[in-house]
Amino acid sequence: MGRREKALSDKLVMLDHIRELRLRLIVVVAVLVAGGVLGYLLFEPILAWLKSPLIGDLYYSSPAGSFSFVMKIATMVGIALAVPLIIYQIIMFIRPAIPKIFWLKRVAGYTGLSVLLAAAGAAFGFYLILPGALNFFAGFQVEGLSALIGADSYLSFVTNVLITFMIVFQIPLLMVIIDHIKPINPRSLLKGEKYAILG
């Protein structure tokens, strides 16, 4: 194959990858939009669920505060529903480079396990960590100061807790995937134990 033919072949391969990436992005965006619409339609029960660990009402301090809050919840629901699909699309996009590691059954297993771990992390954060954190912070109230919790601040706090534990619960799966790509030396893991505990 001549230099010109090789350059043309490489260009065609690159165009195929760009088309595939564009198609996968379109699918992800469609799921994000559908999830956002679902979050908007189910806004009231979702808000009641999010507020359940908090004793008291939420407040907003801008004219568009209520609308902004509803849109943020809808966006959060869209992202939560799209995360498994995003993971699946990423794995499928890089799969042709390492097909021996990411064969289809393994990809399906990784995706399903990732969803379960994310759900377990979110449940752990919401039902165990969040109530404890709210009680801990409420114990520091000072006489003469009253809590006026803003809706945006509370949603950001809850979202940070959920995302943190969803990510933390993905670490075992990530280690399994890395071990399949390049076996992990147990000694190197033990060396990083103190940093993992600190983190």
Side-chain angles (χ1 to χ4, degrees), residues 6-185:
K6 187 177 186 303
L8 180 61
S9 176
D10 290 344
K11 186 177 180 180
L12 291 174
V13 170
M14 181 61 69
L15 288 174
D16 286 340
H17 282 306
I18 292 173
R19 288 193 197 99
E20 182 187 0
L21 180 61
R22 183 175 61 185
L23 180 61
R24 294 188 184 282
L25 286 174
I26 289 172
V27 172
V28 169
V29 170
V31 172
L32 280 170
V33 172
V37 171
L38 182 65
Y40 179 79
L41 295 175
L42 299 176
F43 165 71
E44 290 186 1
I46 292 172
L47 176 60
W49 175 70
L50 289 174
K51 279 184 58 182
S52 59
L54 180 69
I55 299 173
D57 294 324
L58 295 174
Y59 301 89
Y60 59 88
S61 58
S62 65
S66 180
F67 174 79
S68 174
F69 186 66
V70 172
M71 291 299 103
K72 285 180 179 179
I73 287 184
T75 303
M76 186 178 72
V77 172
I79 293 172
L81 293 178
V83 163
L85 181 67
I86 292 171
I87 294 170
Y88 175 78
Q89 296 293 348
I90 291 172
I91 293 175
M92 291 302 290
F93 184 70
I94 65 174
R95 180 176 171 267
I98 37 180
K100 292 182 180 179
I101 296 171
F102 291 125
W103 34 281
L104 287 176
K105 285 186 178 179
R106 183 173 284 176
V107 169
Y110 285 158
T111 305
L113 188 57
S114 176
V115 172
L116 289 176
L117 289 172
F124 181 82
F126 188 82
Y127 292 108
L128 292 177
I129 301 299
L130 187 61
L134 290 173
N135 289 332
F136 174 79
F137 293 130
F140 281 91
Q141 287 187 0
V142 179
E143 186 177 351
L145 295 176
S146 300
L148 190 66
I149 301 175
D152 286 342
S153 299
Y154 179 74
L155 183 62
S156 297
F157 182 71
V158 173
T159 303
N160 288 337
V161 170
L162 295 181
I163 291 175
T164 298
F165 284 95
M166 287 172 73
I167 293 172
V168 168
F169 273 57
Q170 298 294 318
I171 291 176
L173 177 61
L174 183 61
M175 292 179 65
V176 169
I177 294 173
I178 293 172
D179 189 57
H180 279 130
I181 296 172
K182 182 181 179 182
I184 300 173
N185 187 347

